[in-house]
Amino acid sequence: MYALELDGSEPLSASAVKAVGALCDRTEDGGDSVVALHVTGAPKDGWADGLDVMLVTKWERALRRLERLPAATVAVARGDCGGTALEAFLAADVRVACPDTRLLLPRDTKATWPGMAGYRLVRLAGVARIRKAVLFGRTIEAAEALALGVVDELTDDPAAAVAGVAELAGGLSGKEVAIRRQLMFDAATTGFEDALGAHLAACDRALRHVAAGAAEETS
C-alpha cells in the first residue's frame, strides 16, 4: 500500500503538488489498489504570503486527480488539520480521524480561505450544517465531524482502520471503483434521465467482464 504524509502547517508549495502528483502517477500506472494519506497540521498566520494563483491551480488539479484515482483512497487525520492537510483529507474516499482531530479552515483578518475545501465540506455535510465553518472558520471537532459525515470513523488505532479499508477493497478493480465513484458523485447533481445512460454503460461494462470470466472458465 502506497502512503503519503502531508503537513498542513507547511505553506502550499511546489513540492506538495509534486508529492501528490507522484502518488497519482504511481497509482494510475497500475500501482496499489488502496492509497493511504496521513495528514496533520494547520497553517500559521501569514501562510499565504507569497502564494500565487498559479500554484493554487496546480494544487487543486492535483487534488482532483487524487479524487479520481483508479484505487480506493483512505485518509487519516490527527491533531489540528487545515490547509493542504484538510484539503487532501476531504478528497479521500474514506476519512478516518483520531479523537484529538480538529478540522480548521484557514482564515485571516478578512475571511476564510476560499479554496475547494469549503466546496467539499458542503458536498459532504450540506450548507446548513457547515455554514459557520465555511463562512467564519469555526473549528470542527472530531465528534462533530463524525456526526456531519465529514469523518467516517473515529479511532485510536488508525493503522487498523487503514487495514480495514484495504480488506474492504481487497480484490476490487481500481478502475471499476473509479467508475462507481464518478456515478456516485454525479448522482448528487444529475437528473435520473441524464444519469441513466452512464449507469447503463457501467452495467454493460460489468456484464462484459462477467461474460469474459465465464468464457475463460469454460475454455
Side-chain angles (χ1 to χ4, degrees):
M1 181 188 301
Y2 192 53
L4 175 66
E5 295 187 6
L6 286 173
D7 184 353
S9 68
E10 296 291 333
L12 176 60
S13 64
S15 61
V17 175
K18 184 177 180 180
V20 174
L23 179 150
C24 293
D25 288 341
R26 169 175 170 151
T27 307
E28 291 166 354
D29 289 341
D32 296 325
S33 60
V34 178
V35 172
L37 304 169
H38 297 272
V39 300
T40 190
K44 302 176 178 64
D45 292 343
W47 68 275
D49 293 347
L51 192 60
D52 64 74
V53 74
M54 185 66 70
L55 180 58
V56 175
T57 299
K58 291 178 180 179
W59 171 247
E60 295 291 2
R61 287 175 177 169
L63 290 183
R64 192 57 170 157
R65 281 185 70 192
L66 175 67
E67 203 167 33
R68 292 175 167 177
L69 281 182
T73 55
V74 53
V76 177
R78 59 180 175 81
D80 285 355
C81 184
T84 57
L86 175 62
E87 290 168 344
F89 180 73
L90 295 174
D93 294 322
V94 180
R95 296 168 300 280
V96 177
C98 298
D100 67 342
T101 299
R102 303 194 313 159
L103 305 183
L104 307 168
L105 276 170
R107 54 171 285 176
D108 56 23
T109 58
K110 294 185 180 297
T112 55
W113 175 247
M116 292 299 285
Y119 174 88
R120 291 186 173 93
L121 282 169
V122 170
R123 290 289 295 269
L124 290 168
V127 173
R129 299 200 298 170
I130 210 70
R131 184 187 307 271
K132 291 181 181 178
V134 173
L135 291 181
F136 311 123
R138 185 177 68 81
T139 299
I140 305 173
E141 303 286 346
E144 181 185 3
L146 180 65
L148 290 172
V150 174
V151 166
D152 296 300
E153 180 181 349
L154 292 183
T155 181
D156 289 311
D157 189 354
V162 171
V165 174
E167 181 178 359
L168 188 65
L172 297 179
S173 161
K175 290 183 179 179
E176 295 302 315
V177 168
I179 291 173
R180 304 305 183 274
R181 182 195 295 123
Q182 190 58 51
L183 292 174
M184 179 178 64
F185 286 162
D186 291 346
T189 57
T190 306
F192 179 88
E193 295 299 334
D194 292 331
L196 180 59
H199 280 264
L200 289 176
C203 290
D204 180 64
R205 179 183 173 91
L207 291 173
R208 289 175 184 272
H209 288 164
V210 171
E216 288 182 2
E217 291 180 359
T218 57
S219 61

